[in-house]
Amino acid sequence: MKKRIPHLLIQGVLIAGLTTGLVFAQQKSSVARIKIDTDRTIGQIDKMIYGNFIEHLGRCIEGGVFQEGSPLSDANGYRKDVFEAVKGLQVSILRWPGGNFASGYHWEDGIGPRNQRPARLELAWGTTESNRFGTHEFLNYCELLGTQPYICVNLGTGSWDEAKFWVEYCNVKGGTRYSDWRRKNGREKPWGVVYWGLGNEMDGPWQMGHRSAEDYGRFALEAAKLMRWTDPAIKLIAAGSSNYGPGVDWIGWNRTLLDSLKGYIDYLSLHRYVGNPDNDYYEFLASSQDLGEKTKIAQGLIRAALADNPQRRPIYIAWDEWNVWYRARGEKERGREILEEKYNLEDALVVATFLNTFVNNAHIVKMANMAQLVNVIAPIFTNDKDLYLQTIYYPLQLFANNSQGSALDVFVDCPTYKTRKYGAVPYLDVSAAYDNGTLVLNVVNRHRDQAMEVAILSQQGEFAGNFEVAEVNGPDIKAENTFGSAKVQTTRKSLSVKGDHFAYQFPPHSYTMLKGALR
Ligand code: AHR
């Protein structure tokens, strides 16, 4: 049955019984509608979209997840406080060892007794790599966390042999040179690492071993064959586009490597970082439009590549590096305390819109890794004594812990604003997940100053009982967190909802998750 918009909202005035937003609701407001139909599904949300990434870069690993000799660390050197904060994010998959670092990394340097491992000049980020955190430290960490490991092999300065032997070291039971070497190094059982990346950002001139699309396609294909023959159960991720500079043919890059690698790969990796260098709030808040557009283009390229044989191994998109990153960028990228971006509320809202975009493309985006996890463009920030949760931690935490099941194709009708790059952009950015009678609605109100009155209508079934309301917001769009002060965080309350519609007022510059029964 078709549902009517509640009369009182059509009139565009404050509704009786309207539920106001949490702490930061303001005076003026606009009206909008969100319609939910549980039959209109986009696809199953893969929990792998709530992944992260750790790289040998700055203080991400050493001084972040791993700090030997610290009173805050356990006997393995893992920071216990960081581990607890990481657990809060329900990290489904963790990518390692890079990033740009991966393109110069020789994994054999990072195994065996820690004190005997060689220190090496590290050319991606201009430091010395101690190699004290290597394959065992990473894979054991993943095991403790209960997260899937994802290893990116070196297709920059590395060889096919190195890549294939790494798979053998990690995944073969025993009785071969590399599997027995693993056992000798203290790990009897293979780890069975499923996810393997075929190099990192090979389209970027900044990459060690940067290649043309044709050369990369050919080189990666041989690596893929040897790795898969070593362990047929692995899944392979090809290094798609990361370079969107002026005049760069990023579409051609993806097209070429899909043609070379189809039949072997399972994912096309894409990277996207955004920022607000011109301090233009509304333009910045619209960045996810570009992410959505690139996702659709990549989906088209994948379809085209598989068109000659639709039975071929399916290929999905892995946004395996994404985040806000622009302040700690450029010439500051050499040395130790680098890429230490401090996030504010507007960044957290952009992160929420990126997560909405992944959910809204759940049929094709089957993996995403926020770059990175600790200190380096990260949701968790440490010093030697403490840590705090950056603003971007909160949306990721809410999505990862709640938005599961089927992604719903939600109808949204709301006012828009004009942008230079993306044309008209809706003030509301929305996604919805539906799992076993539980609805999760994610709503970002991009409006900086006005609350948005929204009629939320169900086309199927009724809302019932208490809805959990979790809101990420702060006193102003530039509010940041720091040690001992969390100006931006999640505040919670509950809302009693009955029937096939209800109204809610989303405060300005907020991300709100509404969760409750719809049956
Ligand atoms: O995440 C930081 C860096 O960004 C990664 O090393 C690289 O892959 C990308 O350019």
Side-chain angles (χ1 to χ4, degrees):
M1 196 184 72
K2 255 188 149 216
K3 300 285 155 50
R4 281 184 306 114
I5 310 163
H7 171 67
L8 40 183
L9 264 177
I10 294 179
Q11 295 175 343
V13 293
L14 266 184
I15 353 169
L18 177 80
T19 309
T20 51
L22 293 167
V23 226
F24 303 104
Q26 307 270 311
Q27 337 73 357
K28 283 174 95 189
S29 61
S30 307
V31 288
R33 287 177 303 151
I34 294 176
K35 289 204 274 181
I36 293 154
D37 183 342
T38 52
D39 278 345
R40 295 186 69 88
T41 57
I42 299 169
Q44 270 301 110
I45 299 168
D46 195 318
K47 68 173 188 194
M48 231 68 91
I49 64 171
Y50 308 123
N52 279 83
F53 167 39
I54 56 170
E55 175 167 5
H56 295 249
L57 194 185
R59 299 189 305 121
C60 180
I61 293 180
E62 293 208 17
V65 296
F66 184 71
Q67 196 168 359
E68 291 173 294
S70 163
L72 297 175
S73 298
D74 67 11
N76 300 305
Y78 303 137
R79 274 273 297 249
K80 289 183 279 188
D81 55 341
V82 173
F83 186 83
E84 285 310 309
V86 172
K87 273 202 343 213
L89 289 176
Q90 294 287 323
V91 178
S92 52
I93 182 161
L94 193 58
R95 180 172 181 253
W96 172 83
N100 297 341
F101 173 85
S103 295
Y105 182 55
H106 298 290
W107 67 269
E108 290 183 24
D109 291 343
I111 56 171
R114 275 186 204 163
N115 290 333
Q116 289 167 29
R117 298 182 195 169
R120 296 250 190 217
L121 268 187
E122 201 291 291
L123 302 184
W125 304 107
T127 48
T128 301
E129 171 54 45
S130 74
N131 281 306
R132 295 181 70 83
F133 188 97
T135 300
H136 289 248
E137 287 77 13
F138 171 64
L139 292 175
N140 294 343
Y141 193 70
C142 289
E143 223 166 45
L144 282 172
L145 260 182
T147 190
Q148 283 283 345
Y150 163 9
I151 293 181
C152 181
V153 303
N154 175 358
L155 291 194
T157 65
S159 68
W160 298 323
D161 267 351
E162 254 182 306
K164 140 193 119 178
F165 291 142
W166 207 355
V167 177
E168 179 184 326
Y169 188 87
C170 295
N171 289 6
V172 170
K173 216 166 153 215
T176 66
R177 179 169 179 200
Y178 284 89
S179 56
D180 286 343
W181 195 3
R182 177 198 72 234
R183 293 165 68 209
K184 194 172 141 241
N185 285 336
R187 173 73 190 200
E188 183 58 36
K189 249 187 19 192
W191 287 284
V193 178
V194 176
Y195 298 90
W196 293 84
L198 297 166
N200 176 70
E201 295 192 349
M202 302 310 299
D203 62 336
W206 58 85
Q207 201 67 211
M208 289 179 263
H210 164 55
R211 289 173 162 81
S212 68
E214 290 75 13
D215 287 351
Y216 169 66
R218 275 192 287 269
F219 191 70
L221 176 63
E222 297 312 308
K225 277 159 52 180
L226 303 185
M227 291 164 76
R228 168 97 12 85
W229 291 344
T230 305
D231 179 357
I234 64 175
K235 290 187 194 274
L236 293 169
I237 300 118
S241 56
S242 67
N243 188 2
Y244 309 101
V248 173
D249 181 13
W250 65 272
I251 294 179
W253 173 274
N254 290 319
R255 189 186 288 122
T256 304
L257 67 91
L258 282 166
D259 276 340
S260 306
L261 296 170
K262 62 187 173 188
Y264 283 89
I265 56 167
D266 302 280
Y267 298 87
L268 174 70
S269 135
L270 302 171
H271 291 181
R272 191 72 182 127
Y273 293 102
V274 295
N276 187 11
D278 305 328
N279 197 18
D280 185 336
Y281 169 82
Y282 280 114
E283 202 72 19
F284 179 45
L285 261 280
S287 309
S288 60
Q289 304 294 107
D290 174 69
L291 183 82
E293 184 62 13
K294 287 194 165 53
T295 301
K296 289 196 168 40
I297 293 170
Q299 177 185 354
L301 293 169
I302 291 171
R303 284 177 86 146
L306 300 181
D308 62 339
N309 181 0
Q311 303 309 321
R312 223 189 279 270
R313 221 181 162 86
I315 300 173
Y316 297 106
I317 294 172
W319 280 104
D320 62 8
E321 284 188 33
W322 66 272
N323 205 345
V324 173
W325 174 26
Y326 67 104
R327 288 159 283 225
R329 208 167 176 159
E331 68 284 356
K332 299 173 216 139
E333 282 177 2
R334 314 296 290 172
R336 184 154 159 79
E337 291 186 9
I338 56 171
L339 278 69
E340 299 202 349
E341 194 92 12
K342 304 285 165 29
Y343 291 105
N344 59 26
L345 174 59
E346 65 183 18
D347 302 324
L349 299 180
V350 168
V351 160
T353 62
F354 270 48
L355 291 161
N356 273 343
T357 308
F358 300 143
V359 171
N360 284 329
N361 289 280
H363 60 298
I364 187 78
V365 177
K366 296 290 183 189
M367 189 196 296
N369 304 67
M370 177 191 267
Q372 300 193 6
L373 185 58
V374 190
N375 293 331
V376 168
I377 44 173
I380 300 164
F381 199 88
T382 70
N383 61 19
D384 285 347
K385 299 196 187 90
D386 202 359
L387 66 71
Y388 72 89
L389 306 178
Q390 295 234 50
T391 62
I392 60 170
Y393 183 95
Y394 296 98
L396 183 60
Q397 181 187 38
L398 282 172
F399 271 84
N401 282 278
N402 298 287
S403 287
Q404 290 144 15
S406 301
L408 300 182
D409 188 3
V410 179
F411 171 85
V412 181
D413 174 31
C414 70
T416 60
Y417 65 94
K418 268 200 202 137
T419 61
R420 282 189 315 278
K421 285 194 219 138
Y422 315 108
V425 172
Y427 280 111
L428 294 184
D429 188 69
V430 181
S431 74
Y434 189 63
D435 194 20
N436 267 324
T438 298
L439 174 76
V440 174
L441 190 62
N442 298 297
V443 180
V444 175
N445 180 7
R446 292 180 166 115
H447 209 298
R448 189 178 40 205
D449 313 303
Q450 288 183 20
M452 193 75 63
E453 321 260 358
V454 183
I456 299 166
L457 306 139
S458 165
Q459 306 292 105
Q460 295 272 348
E462 308 231 315
F463 303 108
N466 275 346
F467 263 57
E468 181 187 337
V469 181
E471 180 184 316
V472 178
N473 207 340
D476 64 83
I477 55 170
K478 300 293 182 192
E480 292 178 9
N481 297 345
T482 187
F483 295 100
S485 151
K487 288 188 182 152
V488 176
Q489 54 178 304
T490 306
T491 46
R492 293 170 196 271
K493 68 174 182 179
S494 85
L495 174 69
S496 167
V497 181
K498 266 203 183 77
D500 61 8
H501 67 268
F502 67 100
Y504 191 78
Q505 185 183 80
F506 294 92
H509 53 66
S510 63
Y511 156 54
T512 308
M513 184 200 77
L514 299 175
K515 180 177 181 183
L518 172 59
R519 293 199 182 97

